Amino acid sequence: MTTSTTSTAPEPGAAPEPAAPDPSPPPRPRSQAHYQGMVLLAVCCLALGGVFVRISEIGPVATGAYRSLFAVPLLLGMSVALSRNAGRTAKGGRVAGEAPAEQARVTPRDRFLIVLGGLFLAADLCLWNISFLYTSLAEANLLANLVPFIIAPLLFFLFGDRIPWKLLFPALLALGGLYILVILGTGLDPRHLRGDVLALMTAVFYALFLVVTKGLRERYEATRIMATLSLACAAACFVVAAILGESLWPTTAKGWLVLIALAATSQVLGQTLMAHAVKFLRLQLAAVYVLLQPVAAAAYGFVLFGQQLSWIQLSGIAILLISIFWAKNLLEGRS
């Protein structure tokens, strides 16, 4: 991120003052290794989501509700800060008689889309958190990353966007990986299969969320709509948790600390570090690091919960990782 500075204009008729030499050396640019380490830390934080869901005192859906709810104050604060910064910039740069720039008002149609996006995000979060109780952390994280294969057909049917024909090859590879991981790897165990299906449905609803918010983020500042969207998501999750009969209120300080740690790591620290670091890395390299999230989740699952993956499951995971990376490259316009 780069920042710009403005010098104070001299008074009328005053002679310009000579520029004083800057005694401090210019800041050294950070190395690529620094940002790669930042992305790795972000991946480790994001993969902790399933860990906190498993150890939470309350149900998985209610846990997701608090994760989204705790993000609202941060998003609102960021939105206010960005608005004030934009106002100061506009005030300093406008000419005499020019009104300061104002944020566009949200139309009723866009309010509906924000709420709809919140409901899609709530469905994504509910299904994903429940899947952690039935399948491994690695599989839940991996299957939820199949969004590229879902969002391309959605854009075609909803907006007529052309589907790259080359996407067929990684899609076929992904189907092979799914067959190995879900069918051969689980032996059609009903409980394990249920978790994998829920994780796959997570990818569907997250793709719908991205499609709905695509236009909104072009018309409005991102944190502004994400605050409202997260609030709608939290409200929907609380309703679903109540319907399912989950406990909605932690009874111990440890229970609250788990929810706070979940919001601080997965919702705030992980996403913030990722969003910052990927700006300074090649997209192809950043995509590789993002795909390490299931690997980190597998390590957490093995160390904390004794979740072991067979060689068949590991081979299915490897094939899926290759197919997802291949699809992301194609969708980003690279060969």
Side-chain angles (χ1 to χ4, degrees), residues 266-308:
S266 296
Q267 192 70 20
V268 178
L269 186 60
Q271 293 184 357
T272 302
L273 286 175
M274 182 68 70
H276 175 70
V278 295
K279 293 181 180 180
F280 304 95
L281 297 173
R282 298 194 313 273
L283 286 178
Q284 192 172 10
L285 181 61
V288 172
Y289 280 117
V290 170
L291 292 180
L292 290 177
Q293 183 174 331
V295 179
Y300 293 146
F302 176 76
V303 173
L304 299 176
F305 307 111
Q307 296 178 349
Q308 297 185 7

mmCIF file of all heavy atoms in Angstrom, residues 266-308:
data_model
loop_
_atom_site.group_PDB
_atom_site.id
_atom_site.type_symbol
_atom_site.label_atom_id
_atom_site.label_comp_id
_atom_site.label_asym_id
_atom_site.label_seq_id
_atom_site.Cartn_x
_atom_site.Cartn_y
_atom_site.Cartn_z
ATOM 1 N N SER A 266 -9.287 -16.176 12.502
ATOM 2 C CA SER A 266 -9.849 -16.530 11.199
ATOM 3 C C SER A 266 -10.525 -15.356 10.509
ATOM 4 O O SER A 266 -10.405 -15.184 9.295
ATOM 5 C CB SER A 266 -10.856 -17.676 11.365
ATOM 6 O OG SER A 266 -10.203 -18.838 11.816
ATOM 7 N N GLN A 267 -11.271 -14.543 11.272
ATOM 8 C CA GLN A 267 -12.072 -13.494 10.647
ATOM 9 C C GLN A 267 -11.287 -12.208 10.426
ATOM 10 O O GLN A 267 -11.509 -11.518 9.438
ATOM 11 C CB GLN A 267 -13.306 -13.196 11.518
ATOM 12 C CG GLN A 267 -14.361 -12.341 10.848
ATOM 13 C CD GLN A 267 -15.078 -13.080 9.730
ATOM 14 O OE1 GLN A 267 -15.050 -14.309 9.691
ATOM 15 N NE2 GLN A 267 -15.706 -12.356 8.828
ATOM 16 N N VAL A 268 -10.408 -11.857 11.353
ATOM 17 C CA VAL A 268 -9.735 -10.555 11.278
ATOM 18 C C VAL A 268 -8.286 -10.700 10.826
ATOM 19 O O VAL A 268 -7.896 -10.230 9.757
ATOM 20 C CB VAL A 268 -9.799 -9.826 12.644
ATOM 21 C CG1 VAL A 268 -9.052 -8.501 12.567
ATOM 22 C CG2 VAL A 268 -11.252 -9.595 13.046
ATOM 23 N N LEU A 269 -7.478 -11.377 11.644
ATOM 24 C CA LEU A 269 -6.042 -11.442 11.360
ATOM 25 C C LEU A 269 -5.758 -12.171 10.049
ATOM 26 O O LEU A 269 -4.998 -11.680 9.207
ATOM 27 C CB LEU A 269 -5.319 -12.133 12.525
ATOM 28 C CG LEU A 269 -3.788 -12.162 12.452
ATOM 29 C CD1 LEU A 269 -3.229 -10.748 12.411
ATOM 30 C CD2 LEU A 269 -3.221 -12.924 13.646
ATOM 31 N N GLY A 270 -6.350 -13.324 9.859
ATOM 32 C CA GLY A 270 -6.077 -14.094 8.658
ATOM 33 C C GLY A 270 -6.461 -13.370 7.387
ATOM 34 O O GLY A 270 -5.661 -13.245 6.454
ATOM 35 N N GLN A 271 -7.688 -12.851 7.323
ATOM 36 C CA GLN A 271 -8.141 -12.177 6.117
ATOM 37 C C GLN A 271 -7.403 -10.861 5.885
ATOM 38 O O GLN A 271 -7.122 -10.488 4.752
ATOM 39 C CB GLN A 271 -9.652 -11.945 6.187
ATOM 40 C CG GLN A 271 -10.445 -13.243 6.135
ATOM 41 C CD GLN A 271 -11.942 -13.005 6.097
ATOM 42 O OE1 GLN A 271 -12.408 -11.879 6.170
ATOM 43 N NE2 GLN A 271 -12.706 -14.078 5.979
ATOM 44 N N THR A 272 -7.096 -10.140 6.961
ATOM 45 C CA THR A 272 -6.394 -8.866 6.810
ATOM 46 C C THR A 272 -4.983 -9.072 6.281
ATOM 47 O O THR A 272 -4.533 -8.387 5.359
ATOM 48 C CB THR A 272 -6.348 -8.121 8.157
ATOM 49 O OG1 THR A 272 -7.691 -7.917 8.628
ATOM 50 C CG2 THR A 272 -5.669 -6.766 7.997
ATOM 51 N N LEU A 273 -4.256 -10.011 6.885
ATOM 52 C CA LEU A 273 -2.900 -10.293 6.419
ATOM 53 C C LEU A 273 -2.902 -10.785 4.972
ATOM 54 O O LEU A 273 -2.055 -10.393 4.175
ATOM 55 C CB LEU A 273 -2.249 -11.342 7.320
ATOM 56 C CG LEU A 273 -1.814 -10.879 8.716
ATOM 57 C CD1 LEU A 273 -1.311 -12.071 9.521
ATOM 58 C CD2 LEU A 273 -0.742 -9.806 8.626
ATOM 59 N N MET A 274 -3.855 -11.640 4.646
ATOM 60 C CA MET A 274 -3.926 -12.163 3.287
ATOM 61 C C MET A 274 -4.191 -11.039 2.286
ATOM 62 O O MET A 274 -3.526 -10.934 1.244
ATOM 63 C CB MET A 274 -5.023 -13.223 3.195
ATOM 64 C CG MET A 274 -5.140 -13.866 1.822
ATOM 65 S SD MET A 274 -3.705 -14.885 1.399
ATOM 66 C CE MET A 274 -3.947 -16.256 2.538
ATOM 67 N N ALA A 275 -5.168 -10.192 2.589
ATOM 68 C CA ALA A 275 -5.516 -9.108 1.669
ATOM 69 C C ALA A 275 -4.344 -8.148 1.473
ATOM 70 O O ALA A 275 -4.151 -7.604 0.381
ATOM 71 C CB ALA A 275 -6.734 -8.355 2.197
ATOM 72 N N HIS A 276 -3.551 -7.937 2.524
ATOM 73 C CA HIS A 276 -2.423 -7.017 2.415
ATOM 74 C C HIS A 276 -1.257 -7.647 1.652
ATOM 75 O O HIS A 276 -0.673 -7.028 0.761
ATOM 76 C CB HIS A 276 -1.962 -6.586 3.805
ATOM 77 C CG HIS A 276 -0.732 -5.719 3.786
ATOM 78 N ND1 HIS A 276 -0.739 -4.422 3.319
ATOM 79 C CD2 HIS A 276 0.552 -5.981 4.155
ATOM 80 C CE1 HIS A 276 0.480 -3.909 3.419
ATOM 81 N NE2 HIS A 276 1.278 -4.838 3.923
ATOM 82 N N ALA A 277 -0.930 -8.886 1.978
ATOM 83 C CA ALA A 277 0.281 -9.498 1.423
ATOM 84 C C ALA A 277 0.151 -9.842 -0.048
ATOM 85 O O ALA A 277 1.128 -9.727 -0.800
ATOM 86 C CB ALA A 277 0.640 -10.746 2.229
ATOM 87 N N VAL A 278 -1.044 -10.262 -0.487
ATOM 88 C CA VAL A 278 -1.177 -10.706 -1.880
ATOM 89 C C VAL A 278 -0.986 -9.552 -2.861
ATOM 90 O O VAL A 278 -0.735 -9.784 -4.048
ATOM 91 C CB VAL A 278 -2.541 -11.379 -2.126
ATOM 92 C CG1 VAL A 278 -2.662 -12.663 -1.338
ATOM 93 C CG2 VAL A 278 -3.694 -10.431 -1.816
ATOM 94 N N LYS A 279 -1.081 -8.311 -2.384
ATOM 95 C CA LYS A 279 -0.859 -7.174 -3.264
ATOM 96 C C LYS A 279 0.605 -7.076 -3.707
ATOM 97 O O LYS A 279 0.915 -6.458 -4.720
ATOM 98 C CB LYS A 279 -1.254 -5.869 -2.564
ATOM 99 C CG LYS A 279 -2.738 -5.734 -2.282
ATOM 100 C CD LYS A 279 -3.033 -4.411 -1.623
ATOM 101 C CE LYS A 279 -4.524 -4.260 -1.329
ATOM 102 N NZ LYS A 279 -4.828 -2.954 -0.680
ATOM 103 N N PHE A 280 1.493 -7.687 -2.945
ATOM 104 C CA PHE A 280 2.922 -7.560 -3.218
ATOM 105 C C PHE A 280 3.534 -8.862 -3.739
ATOM 106 O O PHE A 280 4.746 -8.968 -3.863
ATOM 107 C CB PHE A 280 3.653 -7.126 -1.948
ATOM 108 C CG PHE A 280 3.121 -5.850 -1.360
ATOM 109 C CD1 PHE A 280 2.179 -5.874 -0.347
ATOM 110 C CD2 PHE A 280 3.562 -4.625 -1.842
ATOM 111 C CE1 PHE A 280 1.685 -4.693 0.199
ATOM 112 C CE2 PHE A 280 3.067 -3.448 -1.305
ATOM 113 C CZ PHE A 280 2.127 -3.482 -0.288
ATOM 114 N N LEU A 281 2.688 -9.852 -4.035
ATOM 115 C CA LEU A 281 3.171 -11.118 -4.561
ATOM 116 C C LEU A 281 2.565 -11.378 -5.935
ATOM 117 O O LEU A 281 1.502 -10.852 -6.261
ATOM 118 C CB LEU A 281 2.795 -12.271 -3.615
ATOM 119 C CG LEU A 281 3.391 -12.242 -2.208
ATOM 120 C CD1 LEU A 281 2.784 -13.354 -1.367
ATOM 121 C CD2 LEU A 281 4.905 -12.375 -2.259
ATOM 122 N N ARG A 282 3.243 -12.180 -6.727
ATOM 123 C CA ARG A 282 2.662 -12.608 -7.993
ATOM 124 C C ARG A 282 1.400 -13.425 -7.719
ATOM 125 O O ARG A 282 1.357 -14.229 -6.775
ATOM 126 C CB ARG A 282 3.659 -13.449 -8.788
ATOM 127 C CG ARG A 282 4.940 -12.712 -9.171
ATOM 128 C CD ARG A 282 5.723 -13.483 -10.235
ATOM 129 N NE ARG A 282 5.849 -14.894 -9.904
ATOM 130 C CZ ARG A 282 6.812 -15.402 -9.159
ATOM 131 N NH1 ARG A 282 7.728 -14.605 -8.627
ATOM 132 N NH2 ARG A 282 6.855 -16.703 -8.921
ATOM 133 N N LEU A 283 0.371 -13.216 -8.542
ATOM 134 C CA LEU A 283 -0.894 -13.892 -8.307
ATOM 135 C C LEU A 283 -0.733 -15.408 -8.302
ATOM 136 O O LEU A 283 -1.368 -16.110 -7.518
ATOM 137 C CB LEU A 283 -1.905 -13.473 -9.379
ATOM 138 C CG LEU A 283 -2.476 -12.061 -9.255
ATOM 139 C CD1 LEU A 283 -3.418 -11.777 -10.407
ATOM 140 C CD2 LEU A 283 -3.200 -11.890 -7.930
ATOM 141 N N GLN A 284 0.115 -15.905 -9.197
ATOM 142 C CA GLN A 284 0.309 -17.349 -9.263
ATOM 143 C C GLN A 284 0.903 -17.878 -7.964
ATOM 144 O O GLN A 284 0.475 -18.909 -7.441
ATOM 145 C CB GLN A 284 1.210 -17.692 -10.443
ATOM 146 C CG GLN A 284 1.240 -19.178 -10.765
ATOM 147 C CD GLN A 284 1.977 -19.446 -12.058
ATOM 148 O OE1 GLN A 284 2.610 -18.561 -12.611
ATOM 149 N NE2 GLN A 284 1.900 -20.675 -12.537
ATOM 150 N N LEU A 285 1.878 -17.160 -7.402
ATOM 151 C CA LEU A 285 2.487 -17.581 -6.148
ATOM 152 C C LEU A 285 1.495 -17.461 -4.999
ATOM 153 O O LEU A 285 1.410 -18.337 -4.130
ATOM 154 C CB LEU A 285 3.731 -16.736 -5.864
ATOM 155 C CG LEU A 285 4.503 -17.065 -4.591
ATOM 156 C CD1 LEU A 285 5.011 -18.497 -4.626
ATOM 157 C CD2 LEU A 285 5.665 -16.089 -4.402
ATOM 158 N N ALA A 286 0.724 -16.378 -4.991
ATOM 159 C CA ALA A 286 -0.270 -16.197 -3.931
ATOM 160 C C ALA A 286 -1.310 -17.311 -3.962
ATOM 161 O O ALA A 286 -1.751 -17.801 -2.911
ATOM 162 C CB ALA A 286 -0.949 -14.834 -4.084
ATOM 163 N N ALA A 287 -1.712 -17.735 -5.174
ATOM 164 C CA ALA A 287 -2.695 -18.809 -5.287
ATOM 165 C C ALA A 287 -2.167 -20.112 -4.709
ATOM 166 O O ALA A 287 -2.906 -20.879 -4.093
ATOM 167 C CB ALA A 287 -3.092 -18.997 -6.746
ATOM 168 N N VAL A 288 -0.887 -20.364 -4.900
ATOM 169 C CA VAL A 288 -0.286 -21.571 -4.335
ATOM 170 C C VAL A 288 -0.351 -21.546 -2.817
ATOM 171 O O VAL A 288 -0.715 -22.536 -2.166
ATOM 172 C CB VAL A 288 1.172 -21.724 -4.816
ATOM 173 C CG1 VAL A 288 1.857 -22.868 -4.079
ATOM 174 C CG2 VAL A 288 1.223 -21.962 -6.312
ATOM 175 N N TYR A 289 -0.031 -20.408 -2.238
ATOM 176 C CA TYR A 289 -0.063 -20.297 -0.776
ATOM 177 C C TYR A 289 -1.480 -20.434 -0.235
ATOM 178 O O TYR A 289 -1.692 -21.039 0.827
ATOM 179 C CB TYR A 289 0.535 -18.963 -0.337
ATOM 180 C CG TYR A 289 2.050 -18.954 -0.322
ATOM 181 C CD1 TYR A 289 2.770 -18.108 -1.150
ATOM 182 C CD2 TYR A 289 2.747 -19.788 0.525
ATOM 183 C CE1 TYR A 289 4.152 -18.101 -1.143
ATOM 184 C CE2 TYR A 289 4.130 -19.790 0.547
ATOM 185 C CZ TYR A 289 4.829 -18.949 -0.293
ATOM 186 O OH TYR A 289 6.199 -18.964 -0.277
ATOM 187 N N VAL A 290 -2.463 -19.881 -0.943
ATOM 188 C CA VAL A 290 -3.847 -20.006 -0.491
ATOM 189 C C VAL A 290 -4.263 -21.473 -0.429
ATOM 190 O O VAL A 290 -4.995 -21.890 0.475
ATOM 191 C CB VAL A 290 -4.782 -19.205 -1.423
ATOM 192 C CG1 VAL A 290 -6.244 -19.521 -1.116
ATOM 193 C CG2 VAL A 290 -4.533 -17.712 -1.260
ATOM 194 N N LEU A 291 -3.774 -22.272 -1.384
ATOM 195 C CA LEU A 291 -4.123 -23.688 -1.408
ATOM 196 C C LEU A 291 -3.440 -24.479 -0.296
ATOM 197 O O LEU A 291 -3.706 -25.672 -0.137
ATOM 198 C CB LEU A 291 -3.763 -24.284 -2.765
ATOM 199 C CG LEU A 291 -4.606 -23.790 -3.944
ATOM 200 C CD1 LEU A 291 -4.160 -24.446 -5.231
ATOM 201 C CD2 LEU A 291 -6.075 -24.068 -3.696
ATOM 202 N N LEU A 292 -2.572 -23.834 0.459
ATOM 203 C CA LEU A 292 -1.959 -24.515 1.605
ATOM 204 C C LEU A 292 -2.891 -24.567 2.813
ATOM 205 O O LEU A 292 -2.574 -25.226 3.807
ATOM 206 C CB LEU A 292 -0.655 -23.803 2.002
ATOM 207 C CG LEU A 292 0.512 -23.928 1.028
ATOM 208 C CD1 LEU A 292 1.705 -23.119 1.526
ATOM 209 C CD2 LEU A 292 0.904 -25.377 0.822
ATOM 210 N N GLN A 293 -4.030 -23.888 2.729
ATOM 211 C CA GLN A 293 -4.960 -23.884 3.866
ATOM 212 C C GLN A 293 -5.433 -25.299 4.227
ATOM 213 O O GLN A 293 -5.441 -25.654 5.417
ATOM 214 C CB GLN A 293 -6.154 -22.977 3.575
ATOM 215 C CG GLN A 293 -7.136 -22.865 4.739
ATOM 216 C CD GLN A 293 -8.227 -21.847 4.470
ATOM 217 O OE1 GLN A 293 -8.030 -20.879 3.749
ATOM 218 N NE2 GLN A 293 -9.392 -22.070 5.047
ATOM 219 N N PRO A 294 -5.835 -26.125 3.248
ATOM 220 C CA PRO A 294 -6.189 -27.505 3.631
ATOM 221 C C PRO A 294 -5.021 -28.275 4.235
ATOM 222 O O PRO A 294 -5.232 -29.152 5.083
ATOM 223 C CB PRO A 294 -6.628 -28.131 2.297
ATOM 224 C CG PRO A 294 -7.015 -26.977 1.437
ATOM 225 C CD PRO A 294 -6.088 -25.864 1.830
ATOM 226 N N VAL A 295 -3.800 -27.968 3.803
ATOM 227 C CA VAL A 295 -2.625 -28.641 4.366
ATOM 228 C C VAL A 295 -2.456 -28.258 5.836
ATOM 229 O O VAL A 295 -2.212 -29.113 6.702
ATOM 230 C CB VAL A 295 -1.361 -28.286 3.559
ATOM 231 C CG1 VAL A 295 -0.131 -28.961 4.169
ATOM 232 C CG2 VAL A 295 -1.529 -28.693 2.097
ATOM 233 N N ALA A 296 -2.597 -26.957 6.125
ATOM 234 C CA ALA A 296 -2.518 -26.509 7.516
ATOM 235 C C ALA A 296 -3.639 -27.125 8.346
ATOM 236 O O ALA A 296 -3.432 -27.531 9.494
ATOM 237 C CB ALA A 296 -2.578 -24.982 7.572
ATOM 238 N N ALA A 297 -4.841 -27.197 7.759
ATOM 239 C CA ALA A 297 -5.968 -27.806 8.478
ATOM 240 C C ALA A 297 -5.708 -29.284 8.758
ATOM 241 O O ALA A 297 -6.072 -29.792 9.829
ATOM 242 C CB ALA A 297 -7.252 -27.633 7.663
ATOM 243 N N ALA A 298 -5.070 -29.966 7.804
ATOM 244 C CA ALA A 298 -4.739 -31.378 8.024
ATOM 245 C C ALA A 298 -3.765 -31.529 9.183
ATOM 246 O O ALA A 298 -3.882 -32.459 9.997
ATOM 247 C CB ALA A 298 -4.145 -31.972 6.739
ATOM 248 N N ALA A 299 -2.797 -30.613 9.273
ATOM 249 C CA ALA A 299 -1.833 -30.665 10.384
ATOM 250 C C ALA A 299 -2.536 -30.426 11.715
ATOM 251 O O ALA A 299 -2.272 -31.133 12.703
ATOM 252 C CB ALA A 299 -0.739 -29.627 10.159
ATOM 253 N N TYR A 300 -3.441 -29.445 11.766
ATOM 254 C CA TYR A 300 -4.196 -29.189 12.997
ATOM 255 C C TYR A 300 -5.027 -30.417 13.379
ATOM 256 O O TYR A 300 -5.083 -30.811 14.553
ATOM 257 C CB TYR A 300 -5.122 -27.991 12.822
ATOM 258 C CG TYR A 300 -4.408 -26.667 12.643
ATOM 259 C CD1 TYR A 300 -4.945 -25.671 11.823
ATOM 260 C CD2 TYR A 300 -3.216 -26.389 13.302
ATOM 261 C CE1 TYR A 300 -4.313 -24.452 11.665
ATOM 262 C CE2 TYR A 300 -2.574 -25.182 13.146
ATOM 263 C CZ TYR A 300 -3.129 -24.212 12.325
ATOM 264 O OH TYR A 300 -2.498 -23.006 12.162
ATOM 265 N N GLY A 301 -5.695 -30.994 12.383
ATOM 266 C CA GLY A 301 -6.547 -32.146 12.667
ATOM 267 C C GLY A 301 -5.763 -33.330 13.193
ATOM 268 O O GLY A 301 -6.219 -34.044 14.088
ATOM 269 N N PHE A 302 -4.563 -33.552 12.655
ATOM 270 C CA PHE A 302 -3.738 -34.680 13.101
ATOM 271 C C PHE A 302 -3.206 -34.453 14.508
ATOM 272 O O PHE A 302 -3.273 -35.345 15.365
ATOM 273 C CB PHE A 302 -2.591 -34.895 12.119
ATOM 274 C CG PHE A 302 -1.632 -35.968 12.532
ATOM 275 C CD1 PHE A 302 -1.976 -37.306 12.388
ATOM 276 C CD2 PHE A 302 -0.396 -35.654 13.074
ATOM 277 C CE1 PHE A 302 -1.099 -38.303 12.783
ATOM 278 C CE2 PHE A 302 0.485 -36.632 13.470
ATOM 279 C CZ PHE A 302 0.135 -37.974 13.321
ATOM 280 N N VAL A 303 -2.681 -33.243 14.764
ATOM 281 C CA VAL A 303 -2.049 -32.958 16.056
ATOM 282 C C VAL A 303 -3.086 -32.843 17.169
ATOM 283 O O VAL A 303 -2.907 -33.384 18.273
ATOM 284 C CB VAL A 303 -1.202 -31.672 15.968
ATOM 285 C CG1 VAL A 303 -0.682 -31.274 17.346
ATOM 286 C CG2 VAL A 303 -0.049 -31.865 14.998
ATOM 287 N N LEU A 304 -4.197 -32.144 16.916
ATOM 288 C CA LEU A 304 -5.158 -31.837 17.976
ATOM 289 C C LEU A 304 -6.258 -32.880 18.134
ATOM 290 O O LEU A 304 -6.737 -33.106 19.250
ATOM 291 C CB LEU A 304 -5.801 -30.466 17.700
ATOM 292 C CG LEU A 304 -4.837 -29.278 17.667
ATOM 293 C CD1 LEU A 304 -5.582 -28.011 17.280
ATOM 294 C CD2 LEU A 304 -4.146 -29.102 19.016
ATOM 295 N N PHE A 305 -6.658 -33.512 17.027
ATOM 296 C CA PHE A 305 -7.804 -34.424 17.101
ATOM 297 C C PHE A 305 -7.491 -35.834 16.608
ATOM 298 O O PHE A 305 -8.387 -36.669 16.554
ATOM 299 C CB PHE A 305 -8.979 -33.853 16.285
ATOM 300 C CG PHE A 305 -9.348 -32.445 16.660
ATOM 301 C CD1 PHE A 305 -9.120 -31.398 15.784
ATOM 302 C CD2 PHE A 305 -9.903 -32.166 17.891
ATOM 303 C CE1 PHE A 305 -9.451 -30.094 16.113
ATOM 304 C CE2 PHE A 305 -10.241 -30.873 18.245
ATOM 305 C CZ PHE A 305 -10.007 -29.840 17.363
ATOM 306 N N GLY A 306 -6.227 -36.098 16.257
ATOM 307 C CA GLY A 306 -5.861 -37.427 15.815
ATOM 308 C C GLY A 306 -6.474 -37.835 14.481
ATOM 309 O O GLY A 306 -6.652 -39.028 14.221
ATOM 310 N N GLN A 307 -6.810 -36.856 13.636
ATOM 311 C CA GLN A 307 -7.408 -37.162 12.336
ATOM 312 C C GLN A 307 -6.314 -37.584 11.363
ATOM 313 O O GLN A 307 -5.463 -36.782 10.989
ATOM 314 C CB GLN A 307 -8.160 -35.944 11.794
ATOM 315 C CG GLN A 307 -9.349 -35.531 12.628
ATOM 316 C CD GLN A 307 -10.035 -34.292 12.068
ATOM 317 O OE1 GLN A 307 -9.523 -33.614 11.185
ATOM 318 N NE2 GLN A 307 -11.221 -33.997 12.592
ATOM 319 N N GLN A 308 -6.353 -38.850 10.962
ATOM 320 C CA GLN A 308 -5.358 -39.370 10.038
ATOM 321 C C GLN A 308 -5.993 -39.590 8.670
ATOM 322 O O GLN A 308 -7.151 -40.005 8.569
ATOM 323 C CB GLN A 308 -4.778 -40.689 10.556
ATOM 324 C CG GLN A 308 -4.031 -40.537 11.876
ATOM 325 C CD GLN A 308 -3.371 -41.831 12.300
ATOM 326 O OE1 GLN A 308 -3.355 -42.810 11.558
ATOM 327 N NE2 GLN A 308 -2.821 -41.838 13.511
#
